[in-house]
Amino acid sequence: MRFNPLFLKKTIILSSFFAIFSICSPNAKANSEGVDSAKHAAEHTEQVAEGHEDAHGKEGEFNATETIMEHISDSHDWHLWGDKSFGLPVILKTDAGLVHFNSEEFHHDNEGSHVVEANGQRFVRFENKVYYASETANEKGQYLAFVGEHPTNGKPLDFSITKNVASMFLSAILLLLIFTSIASSYKNREGKAPKGFQSLLEPIIVFVRDEIARPNIGHRYVGYMPFLLTIFFFIWINNLIGLVPIFPGGANLTGNIAVTFTLGVISFLVVSFSGNKYYWKHIFAPDVPWWLYPIMLIVEIIGVLSKPFALIVRLFANITAGHIIVLSLISLIFIFKTMAIAPVSIGFVLFMYVLELLVAFLQAFIFTMLTALFIGTAVEEHHHYD
Amino acid sequence: MELVTPSIGLVFWTTLTFVLLIMLLSKFAWKPIVAALNDREKSIEDALNAAEKAKEELSRLNVESDKLIKAARVERDKMLKEAKTLSDSLIHEAKVQAHAEGAKMIAKAHHEINNQKLAALAEVKNQVGALSIQIAEKILRKKFADAKEQEALVTELLKDVKLN
């Protein structure tokens, strides 16, 4: 294998660094998978109940977990500052066809108590999910029927242009603008030295070609260049946009499991469709005694599936962890309710931001690098020990 | 759990955006950019190769001119040497000839001188003879001015002559 073990090592170090950081931070802890979901749910009920009991009494109470979760998860509105936000299109695939309306019609309600009527159907939003509204409200004013903590109401398929989708469109437009303008400057200045923006991005394009595509895939790299370049710049620009704290940025796109899942699946499909007969033979008919086949087949299939799974989880965890750390550090100010902690907080956040800039590049690089490596093993000519 | 549950909408939009992005960027950006980069790299490589070739050519020419200069120098040395030997031999020959000529002239002069000497001596002899005769004549004339003396002498001479 022509893989550089240094990068794996780096990833492991970084990941463990994040893991330690997440464990140390009391706020982030609640977000980790290992947390008792019942406890989390109980907390939430309390908040909801509190919110309804006295809407103004305990509003100032700061809940770091809720704030952080709100920032790193997707939403139908794009929150700007304070209580300012603007609505995005909600598109629902219901049993009776497509329904769309502006998310402002929910009036920032996220607890299922405001019904939106569209196309003769009634919808409520609860914890960022859209449900078909019940006929009548329950004792908390929610048009939902609950079993335990989860609503039992039906859900339409939600194809809304959420904050993440809007952010992704923005990144796609940016990528198109940047790279078509660069392409035209290549045409206008044919054979000349690069200039301006072109010379900024050219080394990175050359880096993807010479350090990622060529060494991992070999002479067949040319056909994979568009895919690798797109995935590299898509992940990188979205990582960077995610780090911008003010309006067009801030969406935790590459830290969303749906996005990394899609990218991982696309990478898996590309690898699988490029696989030659040696690759498939190695998986379905490895060179082992026949009675080992039941085990080997399972092992090989797990091996094939674990590759995209690792890609999905690595990107998701790294970016989400970065966002959680930054938000946790900022939350310290509000938890301690003193300005004295602010310099410490800001100092750490600054440090984390610089680190996150590195991680933004590194994760894009690793995703592309591993994809190229997997493609390389799939298109590799026969190299067996027999 | 919500954090790690992919939502269908986002999966849909991501797939759509990403696939469109790949198609658009490949057509309008990556193809021209990668092609331009490859072309430029090729042209740079070609230029470098050409420069290398020119350098080689130049050094080859240098070697050649050096060789020519060396050959010319050798030729010149040879010519100089030849000219020197030629002139030396000419001078030598001339000297020898001059010697021979000189010797011949000297010999001729010697001969002439001898001849002249002999001629002069003969002249002197003749002169001396004539002068002697004149002197003798004069003496005789003087001695035989009176008849007695003549008589005496004839008598004396006649005395010596014995008639046989």
Side-chain angles (χ1 to χ4, degrees), chain A residues 72 74 127 129 157-161 164-165 168-169 172 175-176 179-180 182-183 186 191-192 194 202 205-206 209 226-227 229-231 233-234 256-259 262-263 266 316, chain B residues 1-41 43-44:
Chain A
I72 62 170
D74 204 356
E127 293 184 344
K129 286 197 186 77
L157 287 178
D158 190 349
F159 290 104
S160 305
I161 309 296
N164 277 344
V165 176
M168 182 163 60
F169 286 169
L175 284 177
L176 281 172
F179 287 105
T180 48
I182 286 184
Y186 272 104
K192 288 186 197 153
E202 184 181 308
I205 296 170
V206 172
R209 188 190 62 184
F227 171 65
L229 283 167
T230 311
I231 207 157
F233 283 104
F234 181 77
N256 190 301
I257 194 79
V259 175
T262 313
L263 295 178
I266 289 171
F316 160 72
Chain B
M1 266 321 277
E2 213 209 296
L3 206 57
V4 289
T5 316
S7 64
I8 178 82
L10 199 46
V11 169
F12 168 76
W13 287 115
T14 310
T15 313
L16 188 73
T17 314
F18 192 74
V19 169
L20 273 176
L21 202 59
I22 286 185
M23 291 198 294
L24 289 174
L25 282 180
S26 326
K27 185 157 173 15
F28 296 111
W30 304 134
K31 287 245 163 70
I33 289 174
V34 171
L37 279 176
N38 284 342
D39 284 355
R40 197 170 66 208
E41 250 155 54
S43 79
I44 289 172

Side-chain angles (χ1 to χ4, degrees), chain A residues 113-230:
Chain A
S113 33
H114 185 91
V115 177
V116 174
E117 282 189 48
N119 283 23
Q121 294 181 91
R122 301 163 75 243
F123 305 101
V124 285
R125 187 167 61 174
F126 179 74
E127 293 184 344
N128 278 328
K129 286 197 186 77
V130 179
Y131 294 88
Y132 292 116
S134 307
E135 288 302 316
T136 50
N138 63 10
E139 67 276 11
K140 288 176 195 160
Q142 295 164 298
Y143 290 84
L144 290 165
F146 285 94
V147 167
E149 191 43 43
H150 299 287
T152 53
N153 296 44
K155 279 192 284 185
L157 287 178
D158 190 349
F159 290 104
S160 305
I161 309 296
T162 56
K163 181 175 154 186
N164 277 344
V165 176
S167 173
M168 182 163 60
F169 286 169
L170 172 76
S171 72
I173 290 164
L174 274 178
L175 284 177
L176 281 172
L177 285 179
I178 291 169
F179 287 105
T180 48
S181 83
I182 286 184
S184 69
S185 53
Y186 272 104
K187 259 180 221 148
N188 296 339
R189 301 171 45 78
E190 206 182 325
K192 288 186 197 153
K195 202 177 169 189
F197 213 44
Q198 190 190 359
S199 56
L200 178 73
L201 286 167
E202 184 181 308
I204 303 168
I205 296 170
V206 172
F207 172 79
V208 171
R209 188 190 62 184
D210 293 350
E211 304 296 321
I212 296 177
R214 227 183 321 220
N216 287 309
I217 302 177
H219 66 279
R220 252 174 291 211
Y221 80 96
V222 183
Y224 295 99
M225 277 303 284
F227 171 65
L228 293 174
L229 283 167
T230 311

Side-chain angles (χ1 to χ4, degrees), chain B residues 47-102:
Chain B
L48 284 177
N49 283 343
E52 188 69 21
K53 230 172 165 181
K55 215 168 119 190
E56 263 167 36
E57 184 75 3
L58 193 67
S59 71
R60 198 180 63 78
L61 282 177
N62 267 343
V63 167
E64 206 158 281
S65 72
D66 275 359
K67 227 155 75 188
L68 276 177
I69 288 171
K70 215 175 260 173
R73 208 168 274 163
V74 168
E75 186 76 4
R76 187 196 64 187
D77 285 355
K78 209 170 105 193
M79 275 164 78
L80 277 177
K81 219 166 157 188
E82 259 170 29
K84 199 157 188 266
T85 35
L86 191 65
S87 75
D88 278 0
S89 73
L90 272 176
I91 289 167
H92 185 70
E93 211 168 292
K95 256 188 194 159
V96 169
Q97 217 166 348
H99 252 278
E101 198 72 16

